[in-house]
């Protein structure tokens, strides 16, 4: 499944439901759901589109319906025109309220209807938390100009909001496609929103996507980067990224943080052409042994194996005569013969 | 053959009835040419005017037309005034591309051939779509040619006025001056275009060609020049070569661009979105995302880049 194009999302109408905190063992608040679609406002629609697009550009995972899942079926029914937006949103709100635990904060559920790539029916489901803020307004008091400040407790989705989750469902050529973004977690996808609420699962196996990233990134280094010192630096960066204590890899972030400006877009294109996702959930269990050592292989047959944790003891330099120098600064432990 | 009063009366009545339609058609053609020329990066002004009924009748009598309705071919005219004489050829080609041209005459050459004093542009006769048998004369000329034309119609071609040799000689000198004026304008324009500071001005033309396919907004050309002067050096591709790349981008993302400009019509949160340079920024965001992110000039607001990236759906990285 291709990555979603955030620029091709068009929002047309939406319904917002307030979802209070669910105290299972205490007083349970009455669920008061919206009874009508929100008034349409093109400026608000464009704002929602930009926020969703920004969110998907930072974290985007294709997802699939779980076996016998009701929610994706209901959404598909809506996309086929059998269930209206309000009716669907009410059932989604009830489901969200019913399945969330007391540990989860209150928030808003927004169901948005629109189209994708000019023709495909689309539904976006957003879970947002209310925010607080202040608004300053200039006014005249006793003939003098001053500012009054209003404290707002019911803001949501401000320009800096990062706390929200979005699922997008489209119907292309009769089949349901779906993606999820969860920039809040920056380390995978909130299990509750994906699995309990939307009843979906990641479409790609994180072990396979991580292996594809590793193999393709090394292929880029060995075929597209002639400078040996730069190759060594990039290889280090790949291993550091894979060893980092995060569960998501974001290619543009990786490129910006580790590659020279001229290599960044080339790297991205190279990876895209090999089908590596821009953002993926990281799982190194299939490549653990590969990323524990770095091997430097020279033309004359010399191979140097360096444990990842000792890679700082090795220094690579390109010499003026075009050859490469590998220097190891350490105490020599032992020397031994070894067969081919 | 002499004009028949009855034929002229019938033609006059018909023209009185249909004049509004000719006027509207002329305005439409002027607007189309103005838009197409902007897309091709040609600076010009296009105006239209339907002949007055009195002028229509006067011409019929003066020329002695026996089939006045058919023979008066300039019932409505469009005048296109360009900055540089060399643009006349480009505009004529553009008109040939857009309309069915039934006649095309280089008026300066025609005047020379007729041993007359003159400095004119190109006159093209085109079929007006939607009006049966309707035609429109499009005159393409420079501002200097226009000046000469106005003056000459009042002095040189005034009916029943004979011009003595000395006056004729003075008029030839005037004509030469207007020709020199145009040559100097062309030379100055070339000089400006070759100045490195204006190297990226061509990019505005390339971008405008795509921009106006999707947008009718009035643009701020000074802002375009400033923005492209800042972004241009970061593109790293010669302007002419980049023009081809931009055209390919415009064709590939025709539908996406159209949808974006339609949705954001009247939404001025982003200023650059309503400028032709937005096409270049979108192209960079699509094809060189991390380069434009790294080289975005400090003189331009960064939130504009972020907003355009969000509108396009691109990840600039954190």
């Amino acid at each position: 499944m291709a990555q979603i194009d955030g620029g091709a999302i068009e929002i047309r109408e939406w319904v917002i439901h307030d979802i209070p905190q669910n105290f299972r063992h205490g007083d349970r608040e009455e669920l008061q759901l919206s009874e009508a679609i929100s008034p349409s406002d093109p400026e608000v629609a464009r704002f929602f589109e930009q926020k969703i697009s920004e969110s998907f550009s930072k974290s985007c995972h294709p997802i699939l319906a779980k076996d016998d899942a009701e929610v994706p079926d209901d959404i598909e029914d809506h996309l086929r025109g059998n269930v209206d937006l309000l009716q669907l949103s009410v059932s989604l709100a009830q489901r969200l309220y019913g399945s969330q635990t007391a540990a989860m904060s209150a928030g808003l559920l927004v169901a948005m209807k629109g189209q994708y790539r000019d023709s495909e029916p689309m539904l976006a489901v957003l879970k947002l938390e209310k925010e607080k803020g202040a608004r300053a307004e200039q006014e005249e008091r006793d003939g003098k100009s001053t500012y009054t400040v209003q404290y707002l407790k019911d803001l949501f989705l401000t320009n800096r909001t990062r706390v929200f989750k979005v699922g997008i469902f489209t119907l292309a050529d009769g089949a349901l496609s779906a993606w999820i973004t969860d920039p809040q977690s920056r380390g995978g996808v909130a299990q509750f929103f994906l699995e309990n609420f939307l009843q979906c699962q990641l479409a790609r196996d994180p072990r396979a996507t991580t292996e594809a990233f590793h193999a393709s990134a090394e292929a880029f280094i060995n075929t597209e980067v002639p400078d040996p010192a730069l190759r060594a630096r990039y290889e280090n960066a790949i291993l550091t990224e894979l060893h980092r204590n995060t569960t998501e890899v974001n290619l543009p972030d990786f490129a910006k943080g580790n590659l020279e400006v001229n290599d960044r877009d080339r790297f991205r294109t190279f990876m895209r052409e090999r089908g590596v996702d821009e953002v993926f959930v990281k799982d190194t269990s299939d490549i653990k042994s590969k990323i524990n050592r770095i091997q430097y292989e020279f033309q004359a047959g010399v191979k140097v194996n360096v444990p990842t944790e000792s890679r700082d003891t090795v220094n690579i330099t390109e010499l003026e005569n075009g050859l490469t120098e590998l220097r190891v600064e350490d105490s020599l432990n032992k020397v031994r013969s070894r067969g081919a | 053959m002499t004009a028949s009063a009855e034929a002229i009366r019938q033609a006059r009545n018909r023209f009185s009835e249909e004049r509004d339609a000719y006027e509207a058609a002329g305005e439409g053609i002027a607007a189309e040419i103005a838009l197409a020329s902007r897309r091709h990066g040609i600076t010009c002004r296009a105006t239209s005017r339907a002949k007055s009924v009195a002028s229509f009748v006067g011409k019929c009598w003066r020329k002695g037309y026996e089939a006045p309705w058919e023979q008066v071919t300039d019932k409505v005219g469009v005048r296109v005034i360009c900055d540089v004489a060399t643009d006349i050829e480009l505009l004529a080609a553009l008109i040939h591309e857009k309309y069915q041209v039934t006649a095309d005459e280089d008026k300066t050459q025609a005047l020379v051939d007729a041993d007359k004093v003159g400095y004119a542009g190109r006159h093209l006769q085109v079929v007006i779509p939607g009006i049966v048998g309707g035609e429109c004369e499009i005159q393409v000329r420079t501002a200097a040619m226009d000046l000469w034309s106005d003056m000459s119609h009042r002095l040189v071609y005034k009916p029943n006025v004979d011009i003595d040799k000395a006056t004729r000689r003075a008029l030839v000198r005037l004509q030469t001056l207007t020709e020199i004026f145009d040559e100097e304008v062309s030379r100055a324009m070339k000089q400006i275009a070759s100045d490195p500071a204006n190297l990226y001005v061509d990019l505005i033309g390339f971008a405008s060609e795509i921009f106006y396919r999707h947008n009718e907004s009035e643009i701020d050309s000074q802002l375009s020049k400033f923005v492209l002067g800042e972004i241009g050096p970061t593109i790293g591709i010669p302007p002419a070569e980049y023009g081809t790349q931009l055209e390919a981008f415009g064709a590939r993302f025709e539908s996406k661009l159209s949808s974006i400009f339609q949705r954001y019509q009247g939404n001025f949160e982003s200023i650059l979105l309503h400028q032709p340079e937005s096409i270049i920024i979108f192209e960079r965001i699509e094809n060189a995302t991390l380069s434009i992110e790294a080289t975005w000039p400090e003189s331009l607001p960064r939130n504009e880049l972020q907003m355009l990236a969000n509108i396009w759906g691109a990840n600039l990285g954190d």
Side-chain angles (χ1 to χ4, degrees), chain B residues 11 26 65 70 84 86 103 109 112 125 149 159 186 193 204 206 217 231 233 244 247 249 251 297-298 301 305:
Chain B
Y65 291 149
E70 286 75 22
V84 205
T86 47
Q109 193 55 48
V112 170
Q125 198 72 25
S149 166
S186 295
I204 300 172
F206 298 138
S217 311
I231 294 176
T244 312
E247 189 54 44
F249 166 80
E298 282 184 10
L305 175 65

Side-chain angles (χ1 to χ4, degrees), chain A residues 5 49 53 57 253 265 268, chain B residues 256 263 289 291 310 315 318:
Chain A
D5 176 359
E49 286 165 11
S53 168
S57 75
D253 284 357
D265 284 312
R268 216 173 159 186
Chain B
K256 185 171 178 178
R263 276 185 280 145
T289 323
S291 290
N310 290 344
N315 183 359
D318 271 343

Side-chain angles (χ1 to χ4, degrees), chain A residues 4-11 42-43 46-47 49-51 53-54 57-59 117-118 159 162 186 250-253 255-256 261-262 264-265 268-269 272 278-279, chain B residues 252-253 255-256 258-260 262-264 267-270 284-295 302 306-318:
Chain A
I4 194 163
D5 176 359
I9 292 170
E10 183 179 351
I11 302 294
E43 205 175 356
R46 300 298 83 83
F47 178 64
E49 286 165 11
Q50 283 183 46
K51 289 301 292 181
S53 168
E54 183 183 17
S57 75
K58 301 213 181 312
S59 161
R117 290 194 297 211
D118 282 342
N159 232 2
R162 286 193 165 271
R186 300 299 290 154
N250 181 312
L251 285 194
D253 284 357
K256 270 176 76 176
V261 173
N262 288 341
R264 292 176 190 171
D265 284 312
R268 216 173 159 186
T269 308
R272 192 184 297 158
E278 286 258 303
V279 183
Chain B
R252 184 178 163 208
F253 291 100
S255 144
K256 185 171 178 178
S258 169
S259 165
I260 286 174
Q262 201 178 336
R263 276 185 280 145
Y264 281 85
N267 181 325
F268 288 91
E269 208 182 334
S270 161
R284 294 284 82 193
I285 286 173
E286 173 65 29
N287 293 326
T289 323
L290 299 176
S291 290
I292 193 172
E293 191 280 331
T295 56
R302 200 160 188 87
Q306 185 61 60
M307 215 181 307
L308 291 174
N310 290 344
I311 290 170
W312 190 254
N315 183 359
L316 295 177
D318 271 343

